[in-house]
Amino acid sequence: MARIVAGVASSHVPAIGAAIDNKQTEEPYWKRVFSGFEKSKEWMKETKPDVAIIVYNDHASAFSVEIVPTFALGCAAEFPPADEGWGPRPVPTVVGHPELASHIAQSVILDEFDLTICNKMEVDHGLTVPMNLLFGSPKEWPCPVIPLAVNVVLYPPPTGHRCYMLGKAIRKAVESYPKDLKVVIFGTGGMSHQISGPRAGLINSKFDKAFLDNLTKDPKKLTRIPHLEFMREAGAEGIEMVMWLIMRGALDDKVDEVYRFYTVPASNTAVGHIILANRKRAAGKRPASKIRRAAARSKADIRRG
Ligand SMILES: [Fe+2]
């Protein structure tokens, strides 16, 4: 059986990608940011996932205002880096996992989450920057990736609660996949930032840190934050944080916080990062009746969502 072992959340600031591509990572301004991910890269090397599901948003690269899917799942065999205006980033093509992705699409859609299926899609900094932060800059990415693009660009984005429940449905899908795969799920974007208008440059560290605390301890509280509160407290682009709730929904209720990093600023954005791990269960220790009851509860939860 495939299983999700951990969740990673990370900002996906485009300037971080530019700093990597232009070899500025050792400059003092950027070293402060990159040094916060050194332990995470070590953790990822040790964890060695077989597949990563990466929740991110497209920034008018694969989609435009003509087509705005709320949730778009990448089922292709590969996802080339998109040209975001100055040529594609010099990163390897992202290799997909069409078999697991199709399985997730089937399971999640039959659980009444209407995903858009993308059999061809380019991916932008929203996906590739967190990959660099967690995997470094290898010649080939170390594992296949299933991209899940979420609309947080054009109103109305999905609610935090909907995202959280989709995470639960994704977990159920992964756990019903018969092959033994170790999966890590990413939530990306945020934290507080606003890139235009009179409040451009807004950072709210208090809000961000409380969000990180509750992501570990009380994620259901976060699912009740309305869009307007995200925008008021965390800036217009702070709404990206709903994507972190898909990652969190895919994990156990109680998780271990493995690592956390927060710094301000990178470009005009607060950078937040957290690694949460499901607690290890001793194989065969749970009575079958308990497993059946838990599965029934999770099914009922998903239906309610
Ligand atoms: Fe973004």
Side-chain angles (χ1 to χ4, degrees):
M1 167 183 113
R3 68 198 194 286
I4 295 176
V5 295
V8 173
S10 168
S11 306
H12 61 215
V13 188
I16 293 179
I20 296 168
D21 301 345
N22 296 316
K23 308 204 180 326
Q24 295 166 335
T25 56
E26 290 301 313
E27 291 179 8
Y29 179 91
W30 287 112
K31 204 172 169 65
R32 170 181 50 85
V33 174
F34 289 105
S35 62
F37 289 85
E38 287 306 318
K39 283 196 178 116
S40 317
K41 282 195 279 189
E42 288 303 311
W43 174 87
M44 190 58 94
K45 253 188 206 151
E46 282 166 23
T47 303
K48 265 195 180 168
D50 298 306
V51 184
I53 299 170
I54 303 187
V55 182
Y56 75 110
N57 68 287
D58 178 75
H59 303 76
S61 304
F63 309 117
S64 68
V65 288
E66 290 173 7
I67 299 175
V68 187
T70 302
F71 299 114
L73 189 72
C75 295
E78 56 177 41
F79 305 94
D83 183 346
E84 298 180 61
W86 43 88
R89 287 196 62 215
V91 293
T93 289
V94 174
V95 172
H97 197 302
E99 197 180 305
L100 177 59
S102 307
H103 174 84
I104 292 172
Q106 174 170 307
S107 175
V108 165
I109 290 170
L110 295 181
D111 270 332
E112 303 176 354
F113 288 87
D114 307 313
L115 303 185
T116 299
I117 293 167
C118 293
N119 292 320
K120 187 178 180 193
M121 184 163 73
E122 293 183 347
V123 289
D124 68 14
H125 71 271
L127 183 121
T128 59
V129 164
M131 287 184 74
N132 282 131
L133 290 172
L134 273 294
F135 296 122
S137 300
K139 283 210 172 82
E140 304 293 336
W141 297 117
C143 67
V145 167
I146 298 175
L148 173 61
V150 179
N151 168 40
V152 289
V153 172
L154 203 69
Y155 188 83
T159 63
H161 178 255
R162 187 69 172 157
C163 289
Y164 186 71
M165 298 313 291
L166 175 59
K168 285 186 179 295
I170 289 171
R171 177 198 180 130
K172 182 183 159 203
V174 168
E175 290 184 350
S176 64
Y177 186 70
K179 290 184 186 161
D180 195 16
L181 294 177
K182 195 196 279 188
V183 179
V184 168
I185 182 164
F186 286 50
T188 74
M191 296 195 88
S192 57
H193 66 299
Q194 176 149 341
I195 53 176
S196 59
R199 298 203 310 161
L202 178 144
I203 302 281
N204 185 345
S205 299
K206 201 174 158 202
F207 179 90
D208 291 341
K209 288 177 181 173
F211 191 91
L212 287 166
D213 289 343
N214 283 323
L215 200 66
T216 306
K217 289 187 307 206
D218 190 5
K220 283 191 181 149
K221 190 171 180 185
L222 301 179
T223 67
R224 296 191 286 271
I225 301 176
H227 290 143
L228 279 178
E229 188 175 329
F230 272 114
M231 293 184 76
R232 187 180 65 239
E233 298 297 327
E237 280 72 35
I239 190 68
E240 289 184 345
M241 278 187 267
V242 293
M243 296 187 288
W244 293 27
L245 294 174
I246 297 179
M247 174 278 280
R248 186 62 184 89
L251 302 180
D252 291 345
D253 289 347
K254 286 195 179 11
V255 289
D256 291 323
E257 186 172 320
V258 176
Y259 180 67
R260 182 196 292 212
F261 173 64
Y262 183 82
T263 189
V264 174
S267 177
N268 59 355
T269 307
V271 171
H273 166 48
I274 200 164
I275 299 176
L276 303 172
N278 280 338
R279 292 173 183 171
K280 286 195 180 80
R281 286 185 204 112
K285 283 277 161 77
R286 263 179 125 195
S289 58
K290 273 197 175 172
I291 294 173
R292 276 199 299 274
R293 275 203 299 276
R297 265 200 310 275
S298 126
K299 208 169 177 183
D301 276 357
I302 288 165
R303 290 254 157 78
R304 270 199 297 278

